[in-house]
Amino acid sequence: MVPAHTLSWIVLLPLGGALAIFWLPPQRREAIKTVALCTAALPLIQSLVLLFRFDAASTAFQFVEHYTWAPVFGFEYFVGLDGLSLPLLVMSTLLCFLALLTAWSVEERVKGFFALALVLETGVLGALCALDTALLWVFWELVLVSLFFMVSLWGGAEGRRAGRQFLMLTQAGALAMFLALLALQQHTVDPLTSGPTFNLVLQLDQANHDLWLSGTSARHWIFTGLALGCGVLIPIFPLHVWQPRLHRSAPMAVAMLAAAVVAKLGFYGLLRMAWPILPDAAAWARPVLMALGAIAAVYGGLAALGRRDVAVVLGYGSFSLLGLALVGVGSFTLAGAQGAGQLLVTHGLVFGMLYAAAGGLLDRKGHLDLERWGGLYRSAPALGALLTLGLLAAWGMPGLALYPGVAMIVAGVLSSHPAVALACALGLLLAAAWTSRVVVRICLGEPSEDLGDVPAVRGRELGVLLPLAILLVGLGVYPRLLADLIATTLAGLVRVVGG
Amino acid sequence: MVGGVQVLEVPAFQLAVWRPELVLAATALLSLAPLVWPHLRLRVPVMAGLAVATGLAATGLSTGSVAPAGPHFLLDGPATLARLVVVSLALVVQLVLKPRDDRAGPMLALAALGCCLLAQAATLGGLLTAVAVTVLGGGLAAWYAGQGTSRIAAAQWLGAGGLGFGVLTFAGVLWCGVAGTLDLAAVAPALALRPSLPPLMLPILLCLGGAGLALALLTEPDRFQAGDGEGSAPVLVAWFTLAPAVALAALLQRLLASAVSAPGLTVAPTLTVAMAGILTVGGFVAASAQDRLPRRLAWAATGQTGLALLALVAAPAETVVGLPLAILMAMAPAHMGAMLLAGAPAGGRWREPQLMVLSGLLVSLAALPPLAGWRPRLDLVAALQTGDQLFGLVVVSVGSLLALVVYLRPLADLWRDLPTTTDPRDDGASTTSWAPLAPTLLAAALLAGVVGWGLGLLDLAALLP
């Protein structure tokens, strides 16, 4: 039996932690970090409890909490989890906790940084749990604003530009999504109040059974609004322009949150709202989305090959793999959808690990220039080994976490869209190339003379990297751990979307 | 029933409902006493008078109904809310005002009285009286409060206000003369019965538009916000910007409700949307070019007013709390609170608690959830969507994006420039002290209201009878 209001506790505890941090004096940095870490640990523990209590065979939403909030508004506090949101929730709580550990070396404005990180965590968790689209949008905005401040304030001069670019693009997308959600609200009737409602469950039901706006282009426009809002966050090519600058300027913990956690919100929005509510519009947009995913897979790989800054390389590598996920989602096949579902979770774990390792490199020498690193195997073999493991996973090596998802996506599109499958394969080839380049440059060879001694791996770094490494291997060897969780929900989604 | 509102035919009750206005009038009159008896100091009594007025305005709300207060004024639901906002914010200004001349406070009371009357104006006479009192009180308050540039701005206000009053008198007499009634609510339906009227309306509209343009050019918001380094002056002028707008929104809501019954006569939608677009985009673009926060906020208020103007076209007039009024009421406390803090950071340096409060207020002004600003914005977008007002939607979208830059970018800069300490021996007092107390506490109180409304804990419509 799960304690009452567990989901609300999971969502709101980080916010409570942020408020608690506010009252601490700013010079008590260790206390601030400890409070933040303990606060982030609680949702992680609770989400694991939910994981073990979850009924994977059911397609219904579980652990539901439903309260009226502003009835005149059609606005409710309605939260719940299913096979799609639960794995993402667990992944997000884990990565937020590990990101705070990674950020332990932050010494400037510690209070603000950790408070904002907790607020961002609240936004992410709330968006994943929300079953009221207005509530989802509120949490969505919380994420965007928190990330903007984290990039602007801790990213230096380039961070300011990156933050502005991020804010304008994501807010433009959020505005488009907002208009789409309003349109959905106005066409969904709450049977109890006979008024419009933001209730997602009712929208899922009425949009397809009552066929409102059928035969009109309105459904396409609404889908476009949702896709824009979600796409800019993923990011979908060519809406990705904010990403390289952000990864170059932001602290590694922030880049880790952006790539591994926040990007998944975009996919979640597509799978939770756009696809099931408007499956005909999704079918209409499928060729474009698959094409954009394929372009991202190739373009991201090529761009990653040509960069010197490890953070930017990882950013483009992440972008490339998320292009693959978009192809899988757009394929409307069971294999493609399940592959994408697995890829979303494992991508987060892989790139969480990679950014954390990059953070360790940055802490040691203050830069991430590939040309100036080398010999990590000699100087810090444990860190080098863990970094290599993460890079091999990012390549999609069999036996590691990313492989099952990637393989299913390629298999899912091979028969129906061979050109797209070819592009995906090319993207994987390029992934092998850029990951190999990073391993060779950083880990092999002799250490650069200007580097001097590189400290061995720290306990904190092991605390971040080792659990992720175990998960990468575990989910690679036994992918059913994840597949069984998401299978039922995604199968239902494919049935709705596939018609 | 009057205007759809239940009326109690009890003269004493009518007096009770009108008590805030009487208190304001009394304190304003008392302000003349120092001219005769120079030894009198009226600052404390004026503050007390405003405090009483606010308390009694709240008391009037809780009586369960409203009543006409004479033939020239009608106190309905929106006017009740507008009065509460106007007087409450006037009290806030009064508490932080450090004028060069004590007479600024009483003149502020006079201006508040004028705004309360403006919201309740039922006839042309009532409207002209209200405008005259507002302009006179506001101009004199600005004159007494500041010096140098502020006095120039005050003179501009009086001049432009006089011009506007003259045009309003001309247009009002003409309009009411043609309609055959001085009752403002009856003018619109009466005009609708005269199909030959439109040619006459055009010169009236042109005169009003020209007067409005002259007002905008003459008053020059940036001069108002110069403040001469006085921390209270920007707050005072922010009140003058917002209070009449809130009162006018309440008045227009009543008039529009009567116009709805006259389908041949509607608010000129194309012209209104165009003006709204110019105000919104122009205001926010001008704001984004400002370096100083008070000026940035002042120009941004112009942009917000444009959105309220857009709501005139978008929103149905039969709602209890009309959309233009809701937008202005959501904006007013946040704007005032931000001006309170922006006008005078402690010792020239920001403190963390101040920045925390300012952050909440600016996020609300940017219409980000879950603070007050986003709920009327959501209603506005929904109304524009329902009415297929595509240009209006574009204006709101562009305005919203510009607002993010206007409000969030300086916030990031302020946090970045906040003094940080790396010395473990530093006890942090320089960044966590609560001085200055009054503006921060007042702004925090305004923020609490903003948060409450945004989260749905405070329902304005429930305050109405």
Side-chain angles (χ1 to χ4, degrees):
Chain A
M1 186 71 181
V2 174
H5 311 303
T6 299
L7 266 191
S8 297
W9 280 111
I10 288 176
V11 170
L12 296 175
L13 264 174
L15 190 63
L19 291 172
I21 282 175
F22 170 66
W23 294 104
L24 292 173
Q27 75 279 6
R28 295 191 59 190
R29 296 190 194 95
E30 295 304 310
I32 289 168
K33 292 173 186 176
T34 305
V35 167
L37 202 63
C38 291
T39 310
L42 294 172
L44 173 60
I45 295 167
Q46 288 175 311
S47 65
L48 289 172
V49 169
L50 293 184
L51 187 65
F52 288 111
R53 296 273 194 269
F54 183 74
D55 179 6
S58 169
T59 56
F61 289 104
Q62 301 174 39
F63 318 117
V64 171
E65 295 174 41
H66 194 176
Y67 307 105
T68 309
W69 189 338
V72 171
F73 218 41
F75 188 24
E76 301 167 315
Y77 181 77
F78 187 16
V79 294
L81 291 174
D82 68 353
L84 174 63
S85 47
L86 176 64
L88 290 174
L89 184 89
V90 176
M91 180 205 74
S92 300
T93 53
L94 174 65
L95 288 175
C96 287
F97 175 79
L98 296 177
L100 291 181
L101 265 181
T102 306
W104 209 262
S105 55
V106 169
E107 290 297 330
E108 267 201 43
R109 301 186 198 95
V110 171
K111 199 162 136 173
F113 185 92
F114 280 80
L116 278 170
L118 289 173
V119 170
L120 186 143
E121 183 177 1
T122 292
V124 169
L125 300 182
L128 290 172
C129 297
L131 295 178
D132 180 289
T133 50
L135 185 66
L136 189 151
W137 192 77
V138 168
F139 284 119
W140 193 281
E141 283 291 331
L142 204 58
V143 172
L144 298 182
V145 173
S146 310
L147 199 54
F148 159 71
F149 279 113
M150 290 178 86
V151 172
S152 292
L153 298 181
W154 284 273
E158 191 167 13
R160 283 182 231 183
R161 287 190 289 274
R164 277 200 298 273
Q165 198 176 34
F166 171 80
L167 185 71
M168 291 310 296
L169 282 170
T170 53
Q171 287 296 331
L175 195 61
M177 190 167 86
F178 179 58
L179 293 174
L181 292 178
L182 268 183
L184 286 176
Q185 181 240 13
Q186 285 166 11
H187 289 92
T188 309
V189 177
D190 187 341
L192 290 175
T193 63
S194 301
T197 178
F198 287 101
N199 188 313
L200 182 59
V201 176
L202 290 175
Q203 287 176 359
L204 287 167
D205 183 48
Q206 292 178 19
N208 292 303
H209 293 131
D210 296 349
L211 294 177
W212 45 251
L213 296 175
S214 62
T216 70
S217 61
R219 289 170 75 93
H220 295 172
W221 281 111
I222 294 172
F223 181 89
T224 304
L226 291 173
L228 275 174
C230 298
V232 77
L233 205 58
I234 288 172
I236 295 178
F237 180 89
L239 303 174
H240 68 287
V241 290
W242 58 267
Q243 196 191 39
R245 188 171 267 168
L246 186 145
H247 284 118
R248 189 163 50 237
S249 58
M252 280 302 108
V254 177
M256 180 177 166
L257 288 170
V261 177
V262 174
K264 307 309 176 321
L265 269 188
F267 273 105
Y268 177 74
L270 286 178
L271 290 170
R272 175 62 72 217
M273 295 184 292
W275 257 244
I277 296 178
L278 303 158
D280 53 326
W284 162 77
R286 183 193 343 186
V288 173
L289 289 171
M290 287 186 75
L292 291 176
I295 291 170
V298 177
Y299 170 76
L302 285 171
L305 266 181
R307 295 294 188 274
R308 280 175 62 159
D309 188 321
V310 172
V312 178
V313 170
L314 293 179
Y316 276 115
S318 163
F319 173 63
S320 171
L321 280 168
L322 290 177
L324 277 175
L326 188 61
V327 167
V329 165
S331 68
F332 286 6
T333 61
L334 188 59
Q338 290 198 344
Q342 287 213 261
L343 185 58
L344 289 181
V345 176
T346 54
H347 170 281
L349 299 174
V350 168
F351 281 87
M353 183 173 179
L354 288 174
Y355 276 106
L361 298 179
L362 188 64
D363 283 345
R364 282 161 174 77
K365 289 299 165 186
H367 69 82
L368 289 172
D369 188 347
L370 276 175
E371 302 298 323
R372 293 169 56 197
W373 268 97
L376 191 63
Y377 283 154
R378 287 172 182 264
S379 47
L383 182 60
L386 290 166
L387 176 65
T388 305
L389 180 68
L391 288 166
L392 288 175
W395 162 35
M397 182 173 170
L400 295 176
L402 222 60
Y403 173 75
V406 164
M408 278 199 279
I409 290 171
V410 175
V413 300
L414 187 59
S415 54
S416 55
H417 299 88
V420 174
L422 185 64
C424 293
L426 184 58
L428 290 171
L429 196 64
L430 290 167
W434 68 258
T435 53
S436 307
R437 176 172 172 252
V438 174
V439 169
V440 166
R441 293 281 188 203
I442 291 183
C443 301
L444 298 179
E446 294 294 326
S448 301
E449 286 180 6
D450 65 328
L451 288 183
D453 289 330
V454 176
V457 65
R458 303 182 182 106
R460 176 171 53 84
E461 290 168 347
L462 264 184
V464 174
L465 298 173
L466 210 50
L468 289 171
I470 293 169
L471 282 171
L472 290 189
V473 174
L475 289 175
V477 169
Y478 195 61
R480 279 193 65 177
L481 281 173
L482 181 58
D484 286 348
L485 265 180
I486 60 177
T488 309
T489 304
L490 287 179
L493 181 66
V494 170
R495 265 197 307 276
V496 168
V497 171
Chain B
M1 296 283 285
V2 176
V5 176
Q6 182 67 32
V7 172
L8 291 182
E9 297 292 339
V10 176
F13 174 77
Q14 292 180 8
L15 189 65
V17 166
W18 254 75
R19 203 172 294 170
E21 280 76 19
L22 290 175
V23 169
L24 288 168
T27 52
L29 273 176
L30 280 173
S31 70
L32 298 174
L35 294 177
V36 181
W37 296 290
H39 307 292
L40 283 177
R41 292 287 178 265
L42 285 181
R43 187 172 168 78
V44 172
V46 168
M47 285 171 59
L50 280 174
V52 170
T54 308
L56 287 175
T59 304
L61 284 172
S62 64
T63 56
S65 72
V66 295
H72 299 289
F73 300 98
L74 173 63
L75 184 63
D76 61 356
T80 304
L81 284 175
R83 184 175 73 174
L84 181 66
V85 170
V86 162
V87 178
S88 302
L89 294 182
L91 179 63
V92 168
V93 175
Q94 191 69 53
L95 288 173
V96 298
L97 196 62
K98 301 182 193 65
R100 192 187 56 79
D101 189 319
D102 273 345
R103 283 174 285 190
M107 291 302 106
L108 175 63
L110 194 67
L113 170 67
C115 291
C116 291
L117 295 177
L118 182 63
Q120 301 167 52
T123 65
L124 180 63
L127 178 64
L128 292 176
T129 305
V131 170
V133 172
T134 305
V135 169
L136 198 64
L140 288 174
W143 181 266
Y144 287 131
Q147 57 195 0
T149 312
S150 293
R151 286 209 150 181
I152 296 172
Q156 288 174 343
W157 169 276
L158 284 166
L163 174 65
F165 179 80
V167 171
L168 189 64
T169 306
F170 166 73
V173 166
L174 187 63
W175 207 319
C176 292
V178 170
T181 174
L182 290 176
D183 186 344
L184 294 176
V187 164
L191 287 174
L193 298 173
R194 297 170 182 269
S196 61
L197 194 60
L200 270 175
M201 284 174 60
L202 189 57
I204 294 172
L205 284 171
L206 284 173
C207 283
L208 288 173
L213 190 61
L215 266 168
L217 289 173
L218 284 174
T219 51
E220 288 189 47
D222 62 330
R223 282 206 173 193
F224 268 108
Q225 303 314 316
D228 288 332
E230 296 164 8
S232 57
V235 181
L236 182 68
V237 180
W239 186 89
F240 290 143
T241 310
L242 292 172
V246 170
L248 200 58
L251 172 65
L252 282 174
Q253 182 173 330
R254 179 161 21 96
L255 299 185
L256 278 176
S258 61
V260 163
S261 64
L265 190 70
T266 58
V267 176
T270 309
L271 182 64
T272 309
V273 172
M275 282 174 60
I278 293 168
L279 274 176
T280 303
V281 177
F284 283 131
V285 167
S288 64
Q290 302 299 318
D291 292 327
R292 292 183 57 200
L293 189 55
R295 295 190 188 200
R296 199 178 186 100
L297 291 172
W299 279 107
T302 306
Q304 302 270 15
T305 309
L307 290 174
L309 192 60
L310 193 60
L312 273 181
V313 177
E318 64 268 16
T319 53
V320 176
V321 180
L323 196 49
L325 184 59
I327 289 173
L328 289 171
M329 284 179 63
M331 191 257 286
H335 184 78
M336 287 294 296
M339 275 296 196
L340 272 173
L341 296 173
R349 286 201 312 163
W350 285 95
R351 301 286 194 262
E352 197 173 279
Q354 285 178 301
L355 268 185
M356 289 291 300
V357 175
L358 183 66
S359 301
L361 294 167
L362 292 183
V363 166
S364 177
L365 286 169
L368 290 172
L371 301 178
W374 86 291
R375 290 185 59 180
R377 189 71 61 89
L378 178 69
D379 286 339
L380 175 61
V381 173
L384 288 168
Q385 267 192 331
T386 308
D388 289 328
Q389 303 263 4
L390 182 60
F391 185 66
L393 275 173
V394 171
V395 169
V396 169
S397 303
V398 172
S400 298
L401 289 174
L402 288 172
L404 288 170
V405 175
V406 166
Y407 291 118
L408 295 191
R409 188 175 151 185
L411 199 55
D413 290 340
L414 285 171
W415 276 106
R416 191 180 305 115
D417 296 338
L418 186 70
T420 58
T421 175
T422 56
D423 185 348
R425 291 167 297 177
D426 189 338
D427 63 3
S430 62
T431 55
T432 56
S433 65
W434 285 85
L437 199 60
T440 305
L441 284 179
L442 286 169
L446 291 168
L447 177 63
V450 160
V451 171
W453 190 8
L455 291 176
L457 304 173
L458 184 67
D459 187 356
L460 289 180
L463 293 175
L464 299 177

